[in-house]
Amino acid sequence: MMESADVLNRLAEVLESRKGAEADSSYVASLYAKGLDAILKKVGEEATETVMAAKDGDNEKIVYEVADLWFHTLVLLAQQGLSPDDVLNELARRFGLSGIEEKAARGQNK
């Protein structure tokens, strides 16, 4: 089994490689071909399914739906020219900050 730390980067590489593929060659290539709105719709659908799974209290279903949500979010990142490292770096930046401090700092930057 793949090391957990490698999963995001390996998946990001695959998603990047699908950008230039024919739309009918893979699910991801078809999402890229449909554009941002289709990708955003999938992210929204998966977020809703995650919420519903959590409300049902089924841990196996929660993990399954969060995996779908993360996957489609990674597709969105790739489509926008971003990588998992961009998100991980932001999380690292926030590490050690209280949520209250971080939210207040965001308000000052807007």
Side-chain angles (χ1 to χ4, degrees):
M1 190 161 157
M2 200 180 324
E3 289 287 322
S4 295
D6 294 332
V7 172
L8 288 177
N9 288 326
R10 299 237 349 244
L11 183 53
E13 289 172 9
V14 170
L15 295 176
E16 193 64 32
S17 74
R18 302 285 163 85
K19 280 184 173 180
E22 293 293 322
D24 61 356
S25 67
S26 77
Y27 171 71
V28 171
S30 73
L31 277 177
Y32 288 143
K34 291 175 186 173
L36 180 60
D37 286 346
I39 295 168
L40 294 174
K41 182 178 177 184
K42 284 305 297 182
V43 170
E45 287 173 9
E46 299 305 340
T48 299
E49 290 172 5
T50 299
V51 169
M52 291 168 36
K55 293 289 280 180
D56 290 344
D58 181 340
N59 287 347
E60 187 175 317
K61 193 172 178 184
I62 292 168
V63 169
Y64 181 88
E65 295 301 342
V66 169
D68 280 352
L69 177 58
W70 284 14
F71 176 84
H72 287 90
T73 302
L74 290 168
V75 172
L76 171 63
L77 288 172
Q79 192 269 348
Q80 294 291 305
L82 299 167
S83 74
D85 284 340
D86 294 312
V87 177
L88 293 172
N89 290 336
E90 175 60 16
L91 289 172
R93 183 193 68 78
R94 294 180 188 185
F95 199 82
L97 288 177
S98 80
I100 294 169
E101 290 170 348
E102 196 282 326
K103 190 170 184 177
R106 267 190 284 154
Q108 295 172 0
N109 294 332
K110 288 186 178 184

